[in-house]
Amino acid sequence: MSVKSRRVLPGFGLALGYTLVYLSLLILLPLGGLILKAAELSFAQILDIALGERTLAAFRVTFVSSLLAAGINAVFGLVVAWILVRYSFPGKRLVDALVDLPFALPTAVAGITLATLYAGNGWLGRYLEPLGFKVAYTPAGIVVALTFITLPFVVRTLQPVIEDIETEVEEAAASLGASRGQTFVRIIFPALFPALLTGFALAFARALGEFGSVIFIAGNLPLVSEIVPLLIISKLEQYDVLGATALAVVMLAISFMLLLAINLLQWWTANRHHNAEPLEAAAGRASGDER
């Protein structure tokens, strides 16, 4: 007798229909409207707007700052996630809650707070500026703000993966003679890399569209510390809707290509890890390399 499968949510067709309608209303229609509005301009006009000196500088500041912030959090977010999962210490729950603070804190409040801290007369800025490190109202301030905003994306992505890696695998590698460095490089990091890449992509995507926390600490100087979202807002304030739309479409295209490349790399690493040897075998191989 064939056993009829029962789904928790019956009606696949209806559920799929609701899903497609919801995604269309939430994502496809706004993006479609943006592209249709930009279609009022010719390709040459869009290129002329996108290749302007001020626009290119804004794109450079936005993408470089986002990549730096995501890269910083990829390193230190891994450390934070590892400590929160593998160690017990007083105040651990408080530290774990602080990781989510950028989610709950309004971005404008975060920007004002960071600008106050790193200004020339701020608690930290008064000590950094005499040493030659000016943070507030410079591109470095943008990186600081974006790093603060995107930290939870990396930490929360890595935590469940670290929890799934059993400590017995590390102990087995150590008992077989593998060093800590070899254990990390050959056992831990390959298992974490797909999740780390996912967290990096999420942080990068979040940083690209950040506005509130950046404008208060960036200084917003054209050609120096102006980001693309601010340039779009400036064009809207000047009633240049088509110019703002053209910038939004160009940024959308560049962001899509970058995220597509990151997702392809993530898919490749995930498949590579899926077909790789088990962690126990890797632990034995790491110890054999040590010998």
Side-chain angles (χ1 to χ4, degrees):
M1 294 179 62
S2 61
V3 180
K4 184 179 180 180
S5 62
R6 300 184 62 184
R7 293 183 173 88
V8 177
L9 295 177
F12 172 74
L14 183 62
L16 179 61
Y18 277 125
T19 301
L20 294 177
V21 170
Y22 179 75
L23 291 178
S24 298
L25 292 175
L26 191 66
I27 299 176
L28 295 182
L29 282 182
L31 292 182
L34 178 68
I35 295 174
L36 287 177
K37 187 66 177 178
E40 298 180 15
L41 297 171
S42 65
F43 185 72
Q45 289 175 312
I46 294 177
L47 281 181
D48 185 60
I49 296 173
L51 297 179
E53 183 182 8
R54 183 179 177 183
T55 304
L56 289 177
F59 274 112
R60 182 174 60 253
V61 171
T62 300
F63 282 92
V64 171
S65 300
S66 300
L67 284 172
L68 286 175
I72 292 171
N73 278 329
V75 176
F76 293 99
L78 173 59
V79 176
V80 173
W82 186 270
I83 290 175
L84 289 176
V85 172
R86 290 301 175 91
Y87 297 98
S88 297
F89 53 90
K92 177 179 177 178
R93 291 190 176 183
L94 176 61
V95 174
D96 189 65
L98 288 176
V99 171
D100 290 327
L101 184 62
F103 283 150
L105 190 67
T107 55
V109 176
I112 295 173
T113 303
L114 292 173
T116 303
L117 287 174
Y118 289 100
N121 58 350
W123 290 356
L124 298 177
R126 68 178 65 181
Y127 301 109
L128 293 176
E129 289 198 7
L131 299 176
F133 299 103
K134 183 175 175 59
V135 177
Y137 316 123
T138 65
I142 300 176
V143 176
V144 170
L146 295 181
T147 303
F148 172 80
I149 291 296
T150 57
L151 175 64
F153 293 93
V154 178
V155 176
R156 296 311 184 204
T157 303
L158 286 171
Q159 276 183 299
V161 181
I162 296 175
E163 290 174 352
D164 288 340
I165 300 177
E166 299 178 354
T167 56
E168 287 79 3
V169 177
E170 303 170 48
E171 295 171 357
S175 65
L176 292 174
S179 64
R180 292 184 179 181
Q182 287 182 322
T183 302
F184 177 79
V185 172
R186 295 187 176 267
I187 300 174
I188 304 300
F189 187 74
L192 293 179
F193 186 68
L196 184 63
L197 198 59
T198 301
F200 175 87
L202 291 174
F204 175 69
R206 176 67 178 86
L208 285 178
E210 179 57 27
F211 178 76
S213 65
V214 174
I215 58 173
F216 292 101
I217 194 174
N220 308 320
L221 298 176
L223 306 178
V224 178
S225 60
E226 185 179 46
I227 59 175
V228 175
L230 178 62
L231 185 57
I232 293 174
I233 294 296
S234 299
K235 287 187 175 295
L236 289 176
E237 290 176 346
Q238 299 168 8
Y239 302 101
D240 185 8
V241 178
L242 287 178
T245 305
L247 288 180
V249 169
V250 172
M251 191 171 185
L252 176 65
I254 296 175
S255 302
F256 178 78
M257 288 187 293
L258 287 174
L259 291 177
L260 178 62
I262 292 174
N263 283 325
L264 288 176
L265 180 60
Q266 177 188 349
W267 172 81
W268 177 76
T269 54
N271 285 344
R272 183 183 179 187
H273 176 67
H274 178 74
N275 296 325
E277 59 187 342
L279 292 179
E280 293 80 0
R285 185 167 58 84
S287 61
D289 292 342
E290 174 69 14
R291 295 172 183 173

